[in-house]
Amino acid sequence: MDKFMRDVTAYIPQLRGYAASLTGSLADADDLVQEMLLRVCRHRSQFQEGTNLRAWLHTILRNVFYSRLRRERSMVQDVEGRHAAQLGQAPDQEWRLRFGELLQALDKITPEQREALILVVVSGLSYEEAAEVCGCAVGTIKSRINRARDRLATLLDIADSRSHGGRAGWADHRPTAYL
């Protein structure tokens, strides 16, 4: 395996996490990453040595995801959630309940804010890398993340730690401690 493929392979866990946050499903995330890796192999010659490989990979993954969304628009959806409800299992631990609340809250923020938050907070990209992936200014990314955090705090009924000296509610036990 050459250096390029070793470098790409090193980013797969991070890409898989980003894909899972986009799709909401580990199985779909794995499919998305696999499709992205195929595109990387096919278009390897388009990568310019010395540029940011991680941002390039995240951009391809994002493009694959949005291409899939456009294709899936013509499919019948489970709008009322009847099928999804049959597949679900009631959480048996407190953290699962809280995580479910977080996922629901994430669905209520704008896609742009969610994407910026996930790229920086979950995937660990810098603001500059996230701006490159999203094709916008660094200030826009910072603004989206700030608005996303504020909106999530409101949706989850969490007091702002900067103005209230701590967080209220279930903040100490929630999986969003790093948001």
Side-chain angles (χ1 to χ4, degrees), residues 58-89:
H58 276 82
T59 301
I60 293 171
L61 182 66
R62 178 179 184 260
N63 291 343
V64 169
F65 173 72
Y66 284 117
S67 294
R68 280 185 167 193
L69 277 183
R70 284 189 293 276
R71 273 192 311 246
E72 292 173 0
R73 282 188 183 150
S74 62
M75 295 182 185
V76 177
Q77 296 182 353
D78 183 22
V79 177
E80 295 177 10
R82 290 182 184 156
H83 181 67
Q86 293 172 352
L87 298 175
Q89 179 180 350

Side-chain angles (χ1 to χ4, degrees), residues 14 17-18 21 54 58 99 102 106 109 112-131 134 141-150 152 167 174-179:
Q14 187 179 63
Y18 178 47
S21 68
R54 182 166 72 162
H58 276 82
F99 186 65
L102 172 63
L106 281 170
I109 63 176
E112 294 83 7
Q113 291 173 358
R114 182 174 45 251
E115 178 179 41
L117 189 69
I118 290 168
L119 284 171
V120 173
V121 176
V122 177
S123 294
L125 269 64
S126 68
Y127 290 126
E128 292 79 12
E129 291 170 330
C134 294
I141 291 294
K142 290 179 179 181
S143 177
R144 288 176 182 174
I145 290 171
N146 188 45
R147 281 180 279 166
R149 286 176 171 158
D150 289 346
L152 286 174
R167 293 180 178 220
R174 63 189 173 78
T176 60
Y178 299 105
L179 294 180

Side-chain angles (χ1 to χ4, degrees), residues 6-166:
R6 278 193 309 273
D7 292 345
V8 169
T9 303
Y11 287 117
I12 289 176
Q14 187 179 63
L15 292 163
R16 187 173 180 251
Y18 178 47
S21 68
L22 290 173
T23 63
S25 160
L26 287 178
D28 290 341
D30 288 339
D31 291 344
L32 190 64
V33 170
Q34 184 175 9
E35 187 175 338
M36 184 251 357
L37 289 170
L38 289 172
R39 286 192 188 182
V40 166
C41 291
R42 271 194 307 252
H43 302 286
R44 176 181 178 164
S45 63
Q46 293 179 6
F47 177 72
Q48 297 175 358
E49 192 65 38
T51 59
N52 190 333
L53 177 62
R54 182 166 72 162
W56 188 69
L57 294 171
H58 276 82
T59 301
I60 293 171
L61 182 66
R62 178 179 184 260
N63 291 343
V64 169
F65 173 72
Y66 284 117
S67 294
R68 280 185 167 193
L69 277 183
R70 284 189 293 276
R71 273 192 311 246
E72 292 173 0
R73 282 188 183 150
S74 62
M75 295 182 185
V76 177
Q77 296 182 353
D78 183 22
V79 177
E80 295 177 10
R82 290 182 184 156
H83 181 67
Q86 293 172 352
L87 298 175
Q89 179 180 350
D92 56 351
Q93 294 179 346
E94 182 70 16
W95 68 269
R96 287 188 184 181
L97 289 170
R98 300 303 177 216
F99 186 65
E101 290 175 9
L102 172 63
L103 293 177
Q104 289 176 350
L106 281 170
D107 283 341
K108 293 178 182 175
I109 63 176
T110 67
E112 294 83 7
Q113 291 173 358
R114 182 174 45 251
E115 178 179 41
L117 189 69
I118 290 168
L119 284 171
V120 173
V121 176
V122 177
S123 294
L125 269 64
S126 68
Y127 290 126
E128 292 79 12
E129 291 170 330
E132 187 179 331
V133 169
C134 294
C136 63
V138 173
T140 302
I141 291 294
K142 290 179 179 181
S143 177
R144 288 176 182 174
I145 290 171
N146 188 45
R147 281 180 279 166
R149 286 176 171 158
D150 289 346
R151 180 74 175 128
L152 286 174
T154 300
L155 291 168
L156 297 171
D157 195 27
I158 301 169
D160 185 347
S161 63
R162 294 171 289 194
S163 61
H164 297 94

